[in-house]
mmCIF file of all heavy atoms in Angstrom:
data_model
loop_
_atom_site.group_PDB
_atom_site.id
_atom_site.type_symbol
_atom_site.label_atom_id
_atom_site.label_comp_id
_atom_site.label_asym_id
_atom_site.label_seq_id
_atom_site.Cartn_x
_atom_site.Cartn_y
_atom_site.Cartn_z
ATOM 1 N N ARG A 1 -156.527 -4.529 48.631
ATOM 2 C CA ARG A 1 -155.690 -3.420 49.074
ATOM 3 C C ARG A 1 -154.317 -3.913 49.517
ATOM 4 O O ARG A 1 -153.358 -3.146 49.539
ATOM 5 C CB ARG A 1 -156.356 -2.692 50.250
ATOM 6 C CG ARG A 1 -157.607 -1.940 49.890
ATOM 7 C CD ARG A 1 -157.315 -0.675 49.121
ATOM 8 N NE ARG A 1 -156.486 0.268 49.887
ATOM 9 C CZ ARG A 1 -155.928 1.354 49.367
ATOM 10 N NH1 ARG A 1 -156.066 1.612 48.077
ATOM 11 N NH2 ARG A 1 -155.220 2.166 50.126
ATOM 12 N N ARG A 2 -154.246 -5.182 49.885
ATOM 13 C CA ARG A 2 -152.986 -5.712 50.410
ATOM 14 C C ARG A 2 -152.636 -6.996 49.667
ATOM 15 O O ARG A 2 -153.482 -7.881 49.468
ATOM 16 C CB ARG A 2 -153.124 -5.988 51.907
ATOM 17 C CG ARG A 2 -151.807 -6.296 52.604
ATOM 18 C CD ARG A 2 -151.941 -6.102 54.102
ATOM 19 N NE ARG A 2 -150.688 -6.372 54.788
ATOM 20 C CZ ARG A 2 -149.666 -5.517 54.879
ATOM 21 N NH1 ARG A 2 -149.767 -4.326 54.328
ATOM 22 N NH2 ARG A 2 -148.564 -5.842 55.520
ATOM 23 N N GLY A 3 -151.393 -7.083 49.221
ATOM 24 C CA GLY A 3 -150.949 -8.258 48.493
ATOM 25 C C GLY A 3 -149.499 -8.589 48.808
ATOM 26 O O GLY A 3 -148.760 -7.745 49.329
ATOM 27 N N VAL A 4 -149.092 -9.809 48.490
ATOM 28 C CA VAL A 4 -147.719 -10.223 48.783
ATOM 29 C C VAL A 4 -147.266 -11.289 47.795
ATOM 30 O O VAL A 4 -148.060 -12.117 47.340
ATOM 31 C CB VAL A 4 -147.600 -10.767 50.231
ATOM 32 C CG1 VAL A 4 -148.411 -12.053 50.412
ATOM 33 C CG2 VAL A 4 -146.143 -11.015 50.613
ATOM 34 N N VAL A 5 -146.006 -11.248 47.459
ATOM 35 C CA VAL A 5 -145.341 -12.338 46.758
ATOM 36 C C VAL A 5 -144.105 -12.687 47.570
ATOM 37 O O VAL A 5 -143.426 -11.794 48.107
ATOM 38 C CB VAL A 5 -144.973 -11.952 45.306
ATOM 39 C CG1 VAL A 5 -144.048 -10.744 45.264
ATOM 40 C CG2 VAL A 5 -144.325 -13.122 44.588
ATOM 41 N N ILE A 6 -143.838 -13.974 47.723
ATOM 42 C CA ILE A 6 -142.667 -14.444 48.473
ATOM 43 C C ILE A 6 -141.886 -15.390 47.572
ATOM 44 O O ILE A 6 -142.466 -16.295 46.958
ATOM 45 C CB ILE A 6 -143.064 -15.173 49.771
ATOM 46 C CG1 ILE A 6 -143.979 -14.306 50.636
ATOM 47 C CG2 ILE A 6 -141.823 -15.572 50.567
ATOM 48 C CD1 ILE A 6 -144.525 -15.012 51.863
ATOM 49 N N LEU A 7 -140.579 -15.204 47.511
ATOM 50 C CA LEU A 7 -139.699 -16.063 46.728
ATOM 51 C C LEU A 7 -138.590 -16.583 47.627
ATOM 52 O O LEU A 7 -138.036 -15.841 48.442
ATOM 53 C CB LEU A 7 -139.086 -15.287 45.556
ATOM 54 C CG LEU A 7 -140.066 -14.601 44.600
ATOM 55 C CD1 LEU A 7 -139.313 -13.771 43.570
ATOM 56 C CD2 LEU A 7 -140.953 -15.632 43.911
ATOM 57 N N SER A 8 -138.279 -17.875 47.494
ATOM 58 C CA SER A 8 -137.212 -18.480 48.286
ATOM 59 C C SER A 8 -136.437 -19.470 47.435
ATOM 60 O O SER A 8 -137.005 -20.104 46.540
ATOM 61 C CB SER A 8 -137.789 -19.209 49.508
ATOM 62 O OG SER A 8 -136.762 -19.887 50.215
ATOM 63 N N ASN A 9 -135.153 -19.608 47.730
ATOM 64 C CA ASN A 9 -134.348 -20.614 47.036
ATOM 65 C C ASN A 9 -134.116 -21.827 47.916
ATOM 66 O O ASN A 9 -133.077 -22.484 47.839
ATOM 67 C CB ASN A 9 -133.014 -20.032 46.543
ATOM 68 C CG ASN A 9 -132.127 -19.538 47.672
ATOM 69 O OD1 ASN A 9 -132.619 -19.124 48.724
ATOM 70 N ND2 ASN A 9 -130.824 -19.553 47.452
ATOM 71 N N THR A 10 -135.099 -22.143 48.741
ATOM 72 C CA THR A 10 -135.143 -23.384 49.506
ATOM 73 C C THR A 10 -136.518 -24.002 49.302
ATOM 74 O O THR A 10 -137.530 -23.296 49.389
ATOM 75 C CB THR A 10 -134.895 -23.146 51.005
ATOM 76 O OG1 THR A 10 -133.651 -22.480 51.180
ATOM 77 C CG2 THR A 10 -134.869 -24.466 51.771
ATOM 78 N N ALA A 11 -136.572 -25.298 49.042
ATOM 79 C CA ALA A 11 -137.838 -25.966 48.723
ATOM 80 C C ALA A 11 -138.619 -26.301 49.988
ATOM 81 O O ALA A 11 -138.864 -27.464 50.309
ATOM 82 C CB ALA A 11 -137.580 -27.219 47.896
ATOM 83 N N LEU A 12 -139.003 -25.273 50.717
ATOM 84 C CA LEU A 12 -139.903 -25.383 51.864
ATOM 85 C C LEU A 12 -141.015 -24.370 51.670
ATOM 86 O O LEU A 12 -140.737 -23.197 51.357
ATOM 87 C CB LEU A 12 -139.170 -25.079 53.177
ATOM 88 C CG LEU A 12 -138.100 -26.071 53.625
ATOM 89 C CD1 LEU A 12 -137.409 -25.542 54.883
ATOM 90 C CD2 LEU A 12 -138.707 -27.435 53.911
ATOM 91 N N ASP A 13 -142.265 -24.787 51.874
ATOM 92 C CA ASP A 13 -143.353 -23.879 51.539
ATOM 93 C C ASP A 13 -143.341 -22.639 52.434
ATOM 94 O O ASP A 13 -142.904 -22.673 53.583
ATOM 95 C CB ASP A 13 -144.703 -24.587 51.560
ATOM 96 C CG ASP A 13 -145.245 -24.858 52.951
ATOM 97 O OD1 ASP A 13 -145.481 -23.878 53.672
ATOM 98 O OD2 ASP A 13 -145.449 -26.031 53.298
ATOM 99 N N THR A 14 -143.785 -21.549 51.854
ATOM 100 C CA THR A 14 -143.811 -20.254 52.533
ATOM 101 C C THR A 14 -145.243 -19.772 52.741
ATOM 102 O O THR A 14 -145.477 -18.590 53.001
ATOM 103 C CB THR A 14 -143.048 -19.209 51.693
ATOM 104 O OG1 THR A 14 -143.651 -19.121 50.394
ATOM 105 C CG2 THR A 14 -141.583 -19.592 51.520
ATOM 106 N N ASP A 15 -146.199 -20.683 52.633
ATOM 107 C CA ASP A 15 -147.611 -20.300 52.664
ATOM 108 C C ASP A 15 -147.993 -19.565 53.946
ATOM 109 O O ASP A 15 -148.738 -18.574 53.902
ATOM 110 C CB ASP A 15 -148.504 -21.529 52.505
ATOM 111 C CG ASP A 15 -148.369 -22.191 51.150
ATOM 112 O OD1 ASP A 15 -147.494 -21.775 50.367
ATOM 113 O OD2 ASP A 15 -149.137 -23.131 50.865
ATOM 114 N N ASP A 16 -147.527 -20.056 55.095
ATOM 115 C CA ASP A 16 -147.956 -19.430 56.350
ATOM 116 C C ASP A 16 -147.452 -17.993 56.443
ATOM 117 O O ASP A 16 -148.153 -17.118 56.958
ATOM 118 C CB ASP A 16 -147.503 -20.249 57.557
ATOM 119 C CG ASP A 16 -145.993 -20.255 57.751
ATOM 120 O OD1 ASP A 16 -145.270 -20.427 56.747
ATOM 121 O OD2 ASP A 16 -145.527 -20.101 58.898
ATOM 122 N N LEU A 17 -146.259 -17.735 55.901
ATOM 123 C CA LEU A 17 -145.750 -16.364 55.880
ATOM 124 C C LEU A 17 -146.638 -15.484 55.001
ATOM 125 O O LEU A 17 -146.945 -14.343 55.357
ATOM 126 C CB LEU A 17 -144.316 -16.342 55.351
ATOM 127 C CG LEU A 17 -143.252 -17.057 56.203
ATOM 128 C CD1 LEU A 17 -141.949 -17.154 55.432
ATOM 129 C CD2 LEU A 17 -143.041 -16.323 57.528
ATOM 130 N N GLY A 18 -147.047 -16.028 53.850
ATOM 131 C CA GLY A 18 -147.887 -15.271 52.940
ATOM 132 C C GLY A 18 -149.237 -14.937 53.539
ATOM 133 O O GLY A 18 -149.692 -13.777 53.485
ATOM 134 N N PHE A 19 -149.875 -15.928 54.138
ATOM 135 C CA PHE A 19 -151.196 -15.677 54.732
ATOM 136 C C PHE A 19 -151.092 -14.729 55.929
ATOM 137 O O PHE A 19 -152.005 -13.942 56.183
ATOM 138 C CB PHE A 19 -151.848 -16.993 55.150
ATOM 139 C CG PHE A 19 -152.365 -17.803 53.994
ATOM 140 C CD1 PHE A 19 -151.865 -19.068 53.722
ATOM 141 C CD2 PHE A 19 -153.338 -17.301 53.148
ATOM 142 C CE1 PHE A 19 -152.327 -19.818 52.653
ATOM 143 C CE2 PHE A 19 -153.821 -18.033 52.072
ATOM 144 C CZ PHE A 19 -153.311 -19.298 51.821
ATOM 145 N N ALA A 20 -149.969 -14.795 56.656
ATOM 146 C CA ALA A 20 -149.797 -13.907 57.813
ATOM 147 C C ALA A 20 -149.610 -12.461 57.388
ATOM 148 O O ALA A 20 -149.948 -11.539 58.140
ATOM 149 C CB ALA A 20 -148.606 -14.365 58.651
ATOM 150 N N VAL A 21 -149.078 -12.216 56.186
ATOM 151 C CA VAL A 21 -148.989 -10.855 55.667
ATOM 152 C C VAL A 21 -150.380 -10.318 55.359
ATOM 153 O O VAL A 21 -150.682 -9.141 55.568
ATOM 154 C CB VAL A 21 -148.107 -10.806 54.397
ATOM 155 C CG1 VAL A 21 -148.184 -9.433 53.736
ATOM 156 C CG2 VAL A 21 -146.659 -11.138 54.733
ATOM 157 N N LEU A 22 -151.251 -11.188 54.884
ATOM 158 C CA LEU A 22 -152.580 -10.785 54.409
ATOM 159 C C LEU A 22 -153.651 -10.807 55.486
ATOM 160 O O LEU A 22 -154.696 -10.179 55.344
ATOM 161 C CB LEU A 22 -153.004 -11.690 53.253
ATOM 162 C CG LEU A 22 -152.049 -11.739 52.056
ATOM 163 C CD1 LEU A 22 -152.527 -12.780 51.044
ATOM 164 C CD2 LEU A 22 -151.927 -10.371 51.415
ATOM 165 N N ASP A 23 -153.412 -11.557 56.568
ATOM 166 C CA ASP A 23 -154.431 -11.748 57.601
ATOM 167 C C ASP A 23 -153.746 -11.713 58.963
ATOM 168 O O ASP A 23 -152.937 -12.591 59.286
ATOM 169 C CB ASP A 23 -155.133 -13.093 57.390
ATOM 170 C CG ASP A 23 -156.224 -13.367 58.417
ATOM 171 O OD1 ASP A 23 -156.396 -12.560 59.356
ATOM 172 O OD2 ASP A 23 -156.900 -14.401 58.284
ATOM 173 N N ALA A 24 -154.066 -10.707 59.755
ATOM 174 C CA ALA A 24 -153.420 -10.549 61.068
ATOM 175 C C ALA A 24 -153.723 -11.711 61.992
ATOM 176 O O ALA A 24 -152.987 -11.942 62.972
ATOM 177 C CB ALA A 24 -153.880 -9.238 61.709
ATOM 178 N N ASN A 25 -154.787 -12.471 61.722
ATOM 179 C CA ASN A 25 -155.152 -13.596 62.582
ATOM 180 C C ASN A 25 -154.595 -14.931 62.101
ATOM 181 O O ASN A 25 -154.776 -15.962 62.762
ATOM 182 C CB ASN A 25 -156.677 -13.695 62.677
ATOM 183 C CG ASN A 25 -157.292 -12.481 63.336
ATOM 184 O OD1 ASN A 25 -156.789 -11.997 64.346
ATOM 185 N ND2 ASN A 25 -158.378 -11.968 62.767
ATOM 186 N N ALA A 26 -153.931 -14.947 60.953
ATOM 187 C CA ALA A 26 -153.375 -16.198 60.432
ATOM 188 C C ALA A 26 -152.217 -16.653 61.304
ATOM 189 O O ALA A 26 -151.398 -15.848 61.760
ATOM 190 C CB ALA A 26 -152.910 -16.005 58.988
ATOM 191 N N SER A 27 -152.140 -17.957 61.532
ATOM 192 C CA SER A 27 -151.093 -18.489 62.401
ATOM 193 C C SER A 27 -149.787 -18.645 61.641
ATOM 194 O O SER A 27 -149.766 -18.817 60.424
ATOM 195 C CB SER A 27 -151.523 -19.845 62.972
ATOM 196 O OG SER A 27 -151.738 -20.779 61.930
ATOM 197 N N LEU A 28 -148.678 -18.577 62.385
ATOM 198 C CA LEU A 28 -147.345 -18.798 61.834
ATOM 199 C C LEU A 28 -146.766 -20.082 62.409
ATOM 200 O O LEU A 28 -146.899 -20.353 63.610
ATOM 201 C CB LEU A 28 -146.422 -17.625 62.176
ATOM 202 C CG LEU A 28 -146.577 -16.368 61.316
ATOM 203 C CD1 LEU A 28 -145.853 -15.188 61.960
ATOM 204 C CD2 LEU A 28 -146.023 -16.621 59.921
ATOM 205 N N THR A 29 -146.152 -20.879 61.567
ATOM 206 C CA THR A 29 -145.523 -22.113 62.019
ATOM 207 C C THR A 29 -144.353 -21.796 62.934
ATOM 208 O O THR A 29 -143.535 -20.929 62.598
ATOM 209 C CB THR A 29 -145.017 -22.925 60.813
ATOM 210 O OG1 THR A 29 -146.114 -23.192 59.938
ATOM 211 C CG2 THR A 29 -144.383 -24.224 61.257
ATOM 212 N N PRO A 30 -144.246 -22.449 64.101
ATOM 213 C CA PRO A 30 -143.102 -22.200 64.981
ATOM 214 C C PRO A 30 -141.787 -22.504 64.273
ATOM 215 O O PRO A 30 -141.720 -23.366 63.401
ATOM 216 C CB PRO A 30 -143.336 -23.175 66.152
ATOM 217 C CG PRO A 30 -144.787 -23.490 66.107
ATOM 218 C CD PRO A 30 -145.181 -23.433 64.669
ATOM 219 N N THR A 31 -140.751 -21.788 64.648
ATOM 220 C CA THR A 31 -139.424 -22.003 64.062
ATOM 221 C C THR A 31 -138.605 -22.909 64.981
ATOM 222 O O THR A 31 -138.472 -22.640 66.173
ATOM 223 C CB THR A 31 -138.692 -20.665 63.872
ATOM 224 O OG1 THR A 31 -139.475 -19.832 63.018
ATOM 225 C CG2 THR A 31 -137.322 -20.873 63.257
ATOM 226 N N TYR A 32 -138.095 -23.985 64.418
ATOM 227 C CA TYR A 32 -137.264 -24.917 65.168
ATOM 228 C C TYR A 32 -135.861 -24.948 64.560
ATOM 229 O O TYR A 32 -135.676 -24.651 63.381
ATOM 230 C CB TYR A 32 -137.834 -26.338 65.105
ATOM 231 C CG TYR A 32 -139.228 -26.495 65.667
ATOM 232 C CD1 TYR A 32 -140.332 -26.475 64.823
ATOM 233 C CD2 TYR A 32 -139.431 -26.676 67.023
ATOM 234 C CE1 TYR A 32 -141.623 -26.637 65.323
ATOM 235 C CE2 TYR A 32 -140.722 -26.843 67.538
ATOM 236 C CZ TYR A 32 -141.805 -26.820 66.681
ATOM 237 O OH TYR A 32 -143.062 -26.980 67.173
ATOM 238 N N LYS A 33 -134.895 -25.341 65.367
ATOM 239 C CA LYS A 33 -133.542 -25.563 64.870
ATOM 240 C C LYS A 33 -133.170 -27.009 65.132
ATOM 241 O O LYS A 33 -133.255 -27.500 66.263
ATOM 242 C CB LYS A 33 -132.537 -24.630 65.549
ATOM 243 C CG LYS A 33 -131.144 -24.723 64.938
ATOM 244 C CD LYS A 33 -130.237 -23.612 65.422
ATOM 245 C CE LYS A 33 -128.890 -23.673 64.702
ATOM 246 N NZ LYS A 33 -127.992 -22.546 65.115
ATOM 247 N N ALA A 34 -132.776 -27.712 64.072
ATOM 248 C CA ALA A 34 -132.470 -29.139 64.193
ATOM 249 C C ALA A 34 -131.152 -29.358 64.926
ATOM 250 O O ALA A 34 -130.205 -28.576 64.806
ATOM 251 C CB ALA A 34 -132.414 -29.770 62.806
ATOM 252 N N ILE A 35 -131.109 -30.444 65.706
ATOM 253 C CA ILE A 35 -129.876 -30.889 66.357
ATOM 254 C C ILE A 35 -129.550 -32.282 65.834
ATOM 255 O O ILE A 35 -130.331 -32.891 65.094
ATOM 256 C CB ILE A 35 -130.025 -30.918 67.892
ATOM 257 C CG1 ILE A 35 -131.081 -31.971 68.305
ATOM 258 C CG2 ILE A 35 -130.388 -29.546 68.434
ATOM 259 C CD1 ILE A 35 -131.125 -32.229 69.810
ATOM 260 N N SER A 36 -128.404 -32.791 66.185
ATOM 261 C CA SER A 36 -128.000 -34.144 65.779
ATOM 262 C C SER A 36 -128.194 -35.103 66.940
ATOM 263 O O SER A 36 -127.857 -34.783 68.089
ATOM 264 C CB SER A 36 -126.534 -34.155 65.326
ATOM 265 O OG SER A 36 -126.357 -33.364 64.175
ATOM 266 N N LEU A 37 -128.748 -36.266 66.635
ATOM 267 C CA LEU A 37 -128.857 -37.352 67.612
ATOM 268 C C LEU A 37 -128.219 -38.593 67.000
ATOM 269 O O LEU A 37 -128.314 -38.801 65.782
ATOM 270 C CB LEU A 37 -130.322 -37.645 67.957
ATOM 271 C CG LEU A 37 -131.083 -36.586 68.756
ATOM 272 C CD1 LEU A 37 -132.536 -37.008 68.950
ATOM 273 C CD2 LEU A 37 -130.423 -36.332 70.101
ATOM 274 N N PRO A 38 -127.574 -39.438 67.791
ATOM 275 C CA PRO A 38 -126.957 -40.658 67.250
ATOM 276 C C PRO A 38 -128.002 -41.600 66.667
ATOM 277 O O PRO A 38 -129.166 -41.606 67.100
ATOM 278 C CB PRO A 38 -126.244 -41.262 68.457
ATOM 279 C CG PRO A 38 -126.907 -40.658 69.654
ATOM 280 C CD PRO A 38 -127.354 -39.299 69.243
ATOM 281 N N ASP A 39 -127.594 -42.404 65.671
ATOM 282 C CA ASP A 39 -128.512 -43.327 65.025
ATOM 283 C C ASP A 39 -129.198 -44.252 66.019
ATOM 284 O O ASP A 39 -130.388 -44.555 65.890
ATOM 285 C CB ASP A 39 -127.768 -44.161 63.975
ATOM 286 C CG ASP A 39 -127.543 -43.383 62.689
ATOM 287 O OD1 ASP A 39 -128.058 -42.257 62.587
ATOM 288 O OD2 ASP A 39 -126.851 -43.894 61.801
ATOM 289 N N ALA A 40 -128.453 -44.722 67.017
ATOM 290 C CA ALA A 40 -129.036 -45.636 68.010
ATOM 291 C C ALA A 40 -130.167 -44.959 68.767
ATOM 292 O O ALA A 40 -131.174 -45.595 69.105
ATOM 293 C CB ALA A 40 -127.961 -46.110 68.984
ATOM 294 N N SER A 41 -130.021 -43.673 69.015
ATOM 295 C CA SER A 41 -131.076 -42.935 69.703
ATOM 296 C C SER A 41 -132.300 -42.775 68.810
ATOM 297 O O SER A 41 -133.437 -42.918 69.264
ATOM 298 C CB SER A 41 -130.551 -41.563 70.131
ATOM 299 O OG SER A 41 -131.577 -40.790 70.721
#
């Protein structure tokens, strides 16, 4: 009764989004934002 297709132009998997559409109990990967740290660090 419920289906989904997801398309992205970034090579990062979208599986968790897909399963979360189909299953209310499926977990979603937390969203992070990258920062810059110096090479020495």
Side-chain angles (χ1 to χ4, degrees):
R1 292 286 299 170
R2 191 161 181 80
V4 65
V5 59
I6 306 174
L7 304 175
S8 175
N9 62 331
T10 304
L12 293 175
D13 76 62
T14 58
D15 295 6
D16 68 315
L17 295 170
F19 286 118
V21 171
L22 303 174
D23 181 356
N25 296 316
S27 61
L28 281 167
T29 302
T31 301
Y32 300 97
K33 187 169 185 177
I35 64 170
S36 296
L37 291 177
D39 281 354
S41 176

